[in-house]
Each structure stands twice: as structure tokens, then as C-alpha cells.
Amino acid sequence: MPVTVKANKVSDPADLEKVFAIRREVFVDEQNCPPELEWEFEDESTHFLATADGEPAGASRWRKTDKGYKLERFAVLQKFRGMGVGQKLVKTVLNDLPADATYVYMHAQIQAVSLYEKFGFEKIGPEFEEAGIRHYKMVRMFDFEFKNNRVQL
């Protein structure tokens, strides 16, 4: 049975609690990331919540850094993986970036690299470890396929 997946920018405290609960479950509980590394830059980030049939299913954020715009904290609860939640989050986050977002990058966990490649990201440099998890730095390569740097929803 098809699932209706939605993703939206959130700032309401109740929605942010859902975002943080998803990240806690995925990163801290499931992947054993140190909690002190998980909770940083919250106030300067733009947060997103994905739902599947109205139920909280995934989260992500972007923030401006001294290098450009960094996409971070993509997390999908285990029971919603494979349902398009991650793709919806990536599309929504990319479409929310400001017009001056010419350098867009992320530190992608190895198992998610193929997802981000679908959206024009390419691996840059060698594999590295962050919070005990293997990652690649990925940078979004813009081309004419993306009209005005927007992804078709």
C-alpha cells in the first residue's frame, strides 16, 4: 500500500521535538553517536521534518558555514526506510536553500552516498571517520539539469 510522504521546514517547538527525537533514535541509540556531538548548531540551522501518512518519519537540516551551505543530520526511522522519506527530505532541503547557495556540501555516511548522487552530489576526497562512522565529503555539482538550482518535486 503506497505511503504519503511529506517534508516541511519546521520551527515550532513541538515539531522540533519530533525532529530531535528522530535524530536521537537514529544517531545516538541506533548508531551509537556521542550525544554531545549530535546536539550542536541547532539555533543556527534550518530544520525539516518528514512524515509518512502523518507519522514522524525523518529529519534533516541545513546551515550556512564559512565554506557555504552544509546539509546535515539526515535521519530516517528504521521502519520508514525504503519508502522515499530520504529522497523527499533531500528534495525539500535543496529547494529551501537561498538563491546564493552556490557551494552546497555534506558529510555523507557511506550507505547514503548513492542517494545523494541522484541529486547531483559527488564524492570529494578520501573516506573519513566522523563520530565513529565512515563518511565521504560530497559537494553538489550544479548543471543545467536543475532549473534555478531547484529539484523537481
Side-chain angles (χ1 to χ4, degrees), residues 8-67:
N8 294 294
K9 181 171 24 179
V10 295
S11 58
D12 178 75
D15 288 331
L16 288 173
E17 265 314 304
K18 293 172 187 172
V19 165
F20 299 149
I22 290 167
R23 287 175 35 196
R24 187 176 308 106
E25 185 172 331
V26 171
F27 296 126
V28 178
D29 298 341
E30 184 182 327
Q31 297 183 344
N32 297 311
C33 291
E36 64 275 10
L37 295 179
E38 177 52 31
W39 312 114
E40 58 184 2
F41 308 114
E42 301 308 334
D43 293 339
E44 62 195 67
S45 298
T46 300
H47 299 273
F48 297 83
L49 175 66
T51 58
D53 289 340
E55 192 176 338
S60 61
R61 72 181 193 192
W62 68 258
R63 66 184 171 96
K64 188 166 184 155
T65 70
D66 59 348
K67 296 178 186 82

Side-chain angles (χ1 to χ4, degrees), residues 89-136:
L89 278 168
V90 175
K91 288 177 188 177
T92 303
V93 170
L94 287 172
N95 285 336
D96 186 69
L97 291 172
D100 70 342
T102 54
Y103 186 78
V104 179
Y105 70 105
M106 66 173 54
H107 293 171
Q109 292 187 13
I110 286 184
Q111 70 271 19
V113 164
S114 62
L115 167 65
Y116 303 128
E117 287 174 335
K118 292 177 187 175
F119 294 96
F121 285 90
E122 292 183 13
K123 293 186 289 188
I124 304 293
E127 178 185 311
F128 63 95
E129 192 173 293
E130 189 172 77
I133 299 170
R134 294 165 46 213
H135 288 75
Y136 279 103

